[in-house]
Amino acid sequence: MSNPPSQNLTPENMQTLKTPQTTKIQTDKPGFLTIKDVSKVYPNLKEPENPFVILDGVNLTINEGEFICLIGHSGCGKSTLLNMIAGFNGPTSGEVALAGARITEPGPDRMVVFQNYSLLPWLTATENIHLGVETVYADKSADEQNKIVQDHLELVGLTEACNKRPGQLSGGMKQRVAIARALATRPKLLILDEPFGALDPITREELQEELLKIWREYKITIVMITHDIDEALFLADRIVMMTNGPAASIGEDVHIPFSRPRNRTRIMEDPKYYELRNFALEFLFSRYAHHEEDTTESDTSAVMLPLPASKKRAVADRQMPPVSFVPHAAQPLEASPIKGGILAVSWLVAMATLAAVNVSAVSSQLKQAKLAETAPPVAVVSSPPSPAPIAAIPAPVPVSPAPVPVSPAPIATGSPAPIATGSPAPVAVSPAPIATESPAPIAATAVADPKAATSATSGISDQAELDAIGQQLYAQINDNWKTTPTFTESLTYRVKVKQNGDILQFDPTNKAAKDFVKETPLPVLQIPTGATADAQKTAEFQVTFSPTNNGVLEVKAAK
């Protein structure tokens, strides 16, 4: 995740729903694409009396210049419907018509962009586009055809890669070639069958912006299949939701009220965005889930997003069903023998690791005690046994090359630490280890009084070293944060880090951080408790995960 400059989102520049009428597309030709009582049935050779009904009574009207997104579960007939619009397949009953003419076969007025690009691998990007141009514009000269090809390569930003074959192009570049090839024939209708499904999130967002720019310039009608609700909310004028198959039909036809041109960040700040998103999720995962008998209220509510607390709820175009949000921590765990076995094995491994750490610590402690017995006596301090576990006892206190006078104040007895002084300087001793009556060395971190002496493991004061550790912590978290945020409020944590960059502890400082802790890599990056027993200093940082621009990370020293 990158750390782009922050955007000042104020109520004045936020996109709201005060003027939804601006989102309507004014057309002179209503009913540009009409789908009337369309059904698709395939014969069943094994049981002729039970044929396969894919679509049953589908009715849909699309105006010229509209951007329509079709969503629904896999197998609900979305691609079958698009194939009938493209002319690859005909309906069993009903009619599909474009501009009043019934569709019976493929034609250059309807171009399709598929998810797998469908480019000829032995042709260059230029040749793939030219193939369609020379077929549709056979009456034009070679120079005119080449000009059309070059214009569309420039339109999608592929002028420099025009002579590369598909095997030399990235997924996003191949999809750009497919879009340019489709647009070069000047179709009346552009059909997109999950065009961005195989792309990474960054490339997908770039091509979404590119597609909207082309759509605004060409005023073309677009029908697009997608499984991504956020993509549909950003791109479409209407979202058409299909019920489950078999015998699927149109379940909902929802108008998207956001004005254009659209800004992704501002749309996601609008409370209406989450109402529409939750409504689509409720339709897919509750009303028309794949297995309705297995769907519970928690299954549906767990994927819902809350409305921003600081925003006033907008009035919906239609009444939306009530939805609730359940934090990650409140989700019920599924009980299964396999999961139980995995947890049991993990517990045994953890116990074995702790035991090994304890044995190592005891062995090191005994060696130090023997060295203390043979060293010249300097100071003998009687200390009670430490109540802390053996594994948590750090290494002996590093000593100063020159003795520093100790304050004559009496030894504090109310603190669990063996020695407490009134000076913030470390306790001065000779190079020999401190001999005690207890086999455990004196732990510098055992000083509970904040006014007591600070030891070598208490903190880091050098600013340059703090900056270096902060940069290392940022890189470590940034490299492991791959999840697209679903939270809407920034998550803030107080993170304790060793000199070598190991994360010892993290604590959420707001409720959102506690609820969405699983969406950060902090639990994975935290080292086991038993591995912290060394003499390294520590520092604390404030780590903030922001949901803007698909995730922004900020790391700064804690105050």
Side-chain angles (χ1 to χ4, degrees), residues 117-133 149 162 164-166 169 177-178 181-182:
Y117 321 122
S118 299
L119 302 176
L120 298 179
W122 58 88
L123 299 181
T124 64
T126 299
E127 292 168 342
N128 267 285
I129 300 174
H130 195 279
L131 186 62
V133 172
V149 172
C162 63
K164 291 184 179 181
R165 291 181 172 83
L169 301 175
V177 174
R181 180 182 60 183

Side-chain angles (χ1 to χ4, degrees), residues 7 41 75 80 84 86 104 129-130 153-154 163 195 217 237 243 259 296 313 318 363 406 444 517 536 544 551:
Q7 300 183 8
V41 181
T80 301
M84 288 189 286
T104 58
I129 300 174
H130 195 279
L153 279 169
E154 183 178 354
N163 294 321
E217 180 176 347
D237 294 311
T243 63
S259 60
T296 62
R313 294 176 63 93
R318 59 185 297 157
S363 176
V406 181
V517 66
Q536 290 193 38
T544 303

Side-chain angles (χ1 to χ4, degrees), residues 142-322:
D143 290 340
E144 290 176 322
Q145 292 177 358
N146 291 334
K147 180 66 167 57
I148 294 173
V149 172
Q150 293 302 320
D151 288 345
H152 286 81
L153 279 169
E154 183 178 354
L155 178 68
V156 296
L158 288 178
T159 303
E160 300 296 329
C162 63
N163 294 321
K164 291 184 179 181
R165 291 181 172 83
Q168 300 171 298
L169 301 175
S170 67
M173 296 171 75
K174 285 186 282 190
Q175 198 60 285
R176 289 173 190 266
V177 174
I179 293 174
R181 180 182 60 183
L183 293 174
T185 63
R186 291 291 193 273
K188 296 179 181 178
L189 178 65
L190 183 62
I191 302 170
L192 308 175
D193 191 355
E194 295 190 69
F196 311 135
L199 304 178
D200 62 273
I202 296 177
T203 305
R204 183 187 304 128
E205 289 190 5
E206 291 176 351
L207 287 187
Q208 288 171 2
E209 299 280 359
E210 192 75 27
L211 179 62
L212 283 182
K213 183 174 69 175
I214 293 171
W215 175 73
R216 289 195 300 268
E217 180 176 347
Y218 282 78
K219 304 300 180 183
I220 192 172
T221 307
I222 296 179
V223 179
M224 174 178 169
I225 288 179
T226 180
H227 283 100
D228 190 333
I229 296 175
D230 296 299
E231 180 176 71
L233 289 171
F234 178 63
L235 295 175
D237 294 311
R238 286 156 54 199
I239 297 180
V240 177
M241 307 180 194
M242 298 190 66
T243 63
N244 283 352
S249 62
I250 304 299
E252 294 285 349
D253 189 345
V254 180
H255 172 68
I256 306 303
F258 305 125
S259 60
R260 297 184 186 273
R262 292 178 179 174
N263 180 288
R264 193 185 305 271
T265 303
R266 292 179 183 177
I267 286 176
M268 294 186 69
E269 288 289 327
D270 197 320
K272 181 69 174 180
Y273 177 87
Y274 297 95
E275 289 187 11
L276 294 170
R277 188 180 192 275
N278 289 348
F279 177 72
L281 289 171
E282 191 271 341
F283 176 89
L284 293 174
F285 297 108
S286 179
R287 292 167 58 188
Y288 291 100
H290 272 303
H291 303 287
E292 295 186 1
E293 65 276 9
D294 296 334
T295 304
T296 62
E297 182 179 355
S298 60
D299 294 334
T300 302
S301 60
V303 296
M304 300 300 182
L305 293 181
L307 294 173
S310 59
K311 308 294 186 298
K312 183 178 179 180
R313 294 176 63 93
V315 179
D317 291 349
R318 59 185 297 157
Q319 185 175 1
M320 300 296 177

Side-chain angles (χ1 to χ4, degrees), residues 478-539:
N478 185 58
D479 291 343
N480 288 275
W481 191 27
K482 308 296 184 185
T483 305
T484 302
T486 64
F487 48 85
T488 58
E489 179 184 352
S490 295
L491 317 182
T492 305
Y493 300 87
R494 194 175 185 90
V495 181
K496 187 176 183 181
V497 187
K498 295 199 300 185
Q499 285 175 297
N500 62 0
D502 288 344
I503 297 177
L504 297 178
Q505 181 181 349
F506 67 90
D507 297 307
T509 61
N510 60 355
K511 187 178 184 301
K514 183 178 180 181
D515 292 340
F516 289 91
V517 66
K518 291 185 179 179
E519 293 194 19
T520 74
L522 292 176
V524 178
L525 296 175
Q526 184 181 10
I527 64 174
T529 305
T532 63
D534 55 30
Q536 290 193 38
K537 297 180 180 179
T538 60

Side-chain angles (χ1 to χ4, degrees), residues 86-125:
F88 299 145
N89 201 348
T92 304
S93 62
E95 180 183 81
V96 181
L98 181 67
R102 185 169 183 173
I103 297 174
T104 58
E105 61 182 2
D109 57 346
R110 287 156 284 122
M111 295 300 292
V112 184
V113 178
F114 299 96
Q115 181 178 357
N116 59 356
Y117 321 122
S118 299
L119 302 176
L120 298 179
W122 58 88
L123 299 181
T124 64

Side-chain angles (χ1 to χ4, degrees), residues 232-478:
L233 289 171
F234 178 63
L235 295 175
D237 294 311
R238 286 156 54 199
I239 297 180
V240 177
M241 307 180 194
M242 298 190 66
T243 63
N244 283 352
S249 62
I250 304 299
E252 294 285 349
D253 189 345
V254 180
H255 172 68
I256 306 303
F258 305 125
S259 60
R260 297 184 186 273
R262 292 178 179 174
N263 180 288
R264 193 185 305 271
T265 303
R266 292 179 183 177
I267 286 176
M268 294 186 69
E269 288 289 327
D270 197 320
K272 181 69 174 180
Y273 177 87
Y274 297 95
E275 289 187 11
L276 294 170
R277 188 180 192 275
N278 289 348
F279 177 72
L281 289 171
E282 191 271 341
F283 176 89
L284 293 174
F285 297 108
S286 179
R287 292 167 58 188
Y288 291 100
H290 272 303
H291 303 287
E292 295 186 1
E293 65 276 9
D294 296 334
T295 304
T296 62
E297 182 179 355
S298 60
D299 294 334
T300 302
S301 60
V303 296
M304 300 300 182
L305 293 181
L307 294 173
S310 59
K311 308 294 186 298
K312 183 178 179 180
R313 294 176 63 93
V315 179
D317 291 349
R318 59 185 297 157
Q319 185 175 1
M320 300 296 177
V323 293
S324 59
F325 173 76
V326 178
H328 287 283
Q331 295 182 11
L333 299 177
E334 297 180 0
S336 67
I338 296 178
K339 184 176 291 186
I342 293 175
L343 292 175
V345 171
S346 302
W347 182 83
L348 290 175
V349 172
M351 292 300 100
T353 303
L354 290 176
V357 172
N358 284 339
V359 171
S360 175
V362 172
S363 176
S364 175
Q365 185 177 323
L366 293 176
K367 289 181 181 179
Q368 293 168 1
K370 290 182 180 180
L371 289 174
E373 292 176 0
T374 58
V378 178
V380 177
V381 182
S382 177
S383 65
S386 174
I390 297 178
I393 299 178
V397 180
V399 296
S400 170
V404 179
V406 181
S407 173
I411 297 176
T413 58
S415 169
I419 298 178
T421 67
S423 171
V427 180
V429 295
S430 68
I434 298 177
T436 67
E437 294 181 0
S438 170
I442 297 177
T445 57
V447 179
D449 187 356
K451 298 182 180 180
T454 305
S455 67
T457 60
S458 61
I460 299 171
S461 58
D462 183 70
Q463 187 59 43
E465 186 175 2
L466 281 173
D467 293 341
I469 297 174
Q471 293 175 2
Q472 182 179 0
L473 177 62
Y474 175 89
Q476 184 181 10
I477 298 176
N478 185 58

